[in-house]
Amino acid sequence: MGYHLYCVVPAGHAPSGDLRGLSGAEVTDIRVGDLAVWCSASEARIVPDLRRIRVHDGVIRKATTATVTPLPFRFGQWFPDREALGRELQARLDGYRQALDRVAGAVEFGVRLEALRERSAEGASRGSSEAPHGTGAGAAYLRALADRGAERDARLQHGGAVLAELNLRLEGRVVQVRVDRTPGRGSVASAAYLVRCVETGRFREAVEGFADGHVAFEFHLTGPWPPYSFT
Amino acid sequence: METTPIELEGPLGDVALVELVNRVLDRGVVISGEVVISVAGVDLLYLNLGLLLSSVETLRRQTEPRGEGA
């Protein structure tokens, strides 16, 4: 029988008997040394979709308590049998212990910045795409393309600078920061923060206060999450 | 040991949904394989194509040159 993995926890932190994971299978814990893995039976590797991703994340959330922060597995970690699983886990115990110590008593937050485009800037951009007298449509198109690229680069640079400023402001309130070098479509900067549970209120206040002072950007604060980005 | 789950993220808005997918597929402990999605009806093997679902960030990390001597 194969196993789909959810997270690593200290041994003794067992799932409740009624907790169900993917395909409605019971979530159980397999102990390896002083640690345990939450998993559920699955005959084959499971292909992800949105519903399954929510289930996977939901199990990890159930493992997150006031005293235990689990190490979440990325979706798709599957082993064909208990022996193979035990061998792999045994070989990585030291790393898991260190990671569990690092995230103990902490949760993850995400901050994503989107630039609010000013109407005047948009108007100017549209205007620049019109072909000046004596030039062809192709040249105008290429010029507009270059202008949009330059605008995008400028927004990314500005967003990165604002995020760096936020990170300076948050020093002492977070355990660790991970900045995404590729913030994704529509965003100009994003980062993940590992925050002690006792600091989450002050962390939120600090981010929201900072956002109030930077109206050129929309700040999306998400979390708390299990520490996916710090494993 | 305290076993009551603490309240994490509430109902997910659009941004949080993106963040959720990004985290669950792209981050976390990895010890076996990767998530591969094949497209039904397309002979990926014959075309010698593989479709790997990953974020740009992950692919960049994996393809960056490692330190000297690595």
Side-chain angles (χ1 to χ4, degrees), chain B residues 38-49:
Chain B
S38 57
V39 180
V42 177
D43 195 345
L44 295 176
L45 186 60
Y46 175 77
L47 296 172
N48 195 25
L49 294 176

Side-chain angles (χ1 to χ4, degrees), chain A residues 5 11-13 45 48 50 53-54 56-57 61-62 64-68 71-79 88-89 92 96 107-110 112 178 180-182 192 220 222-226 228-229 231, chain B residues 1-38 52-62 64:
Chain A
L5 311 187
H13 182 57
R45 192 183 299 277
L50 196 51
I53 286 172
R54 284 182 188 272
H56 179 91
D57 181 63
R61 285 163 187 274
K62 291 290 185 187
T64 309
T65 69
T67 55
V68 173
L71 283 185
F73 279 110
R74 179 187 299 189
F75 193 105
Q77 306 301 293
W78 177 84
F79 282 86
E88 288 294 331
L89 295 176
R92 292 171 164 82
Y96 292 155
V107 287
E108 176 177 332
F109 283 86
R112 184 174 294 277
R178 177 181 157 169
D180 290 336
R181 284 168 297 173
T182 47
H220 299 284
T222 61
W225 303 92
Y228 285 103
S229 305
T231 58
Chain B
M1 188 176 288
E2 173 63 57
T3 57
T4 306
I6 61 174
E7 192 64 32
L8 297 180
E9 181 73 42
L12 296 174
D14 288 346
V15 171
L17 198 56
V18 171
E19 299 280 325
L20 169 67
V21 172
N22 192 33
R23 279 173 170 75
V24 174
L25 290 183
D26 182 44
R27 298 174 186 173
V29 177
V30 181
I31 54 176
S32 78
E34 284 289 349
V35 175
V36 177
I37 296 179
S38 57
L52 170 66
L53 181 64
S54 175
S55 75
V56 173
E57 173 74 6
T58 297
L59 288 177
R60 283 181 58 163
R61 266 201 317 272
Q62 291 177 344
E64 277 177 354

Side-chain angles (χ1 to χ4, degrees), chain A residues 8-25:
Chain A
V8 183
V9 298
H13 182 57
S16 63
D18 61 348
L19 181 59
R20 295 290 179 270
L22 290 162
S23 307

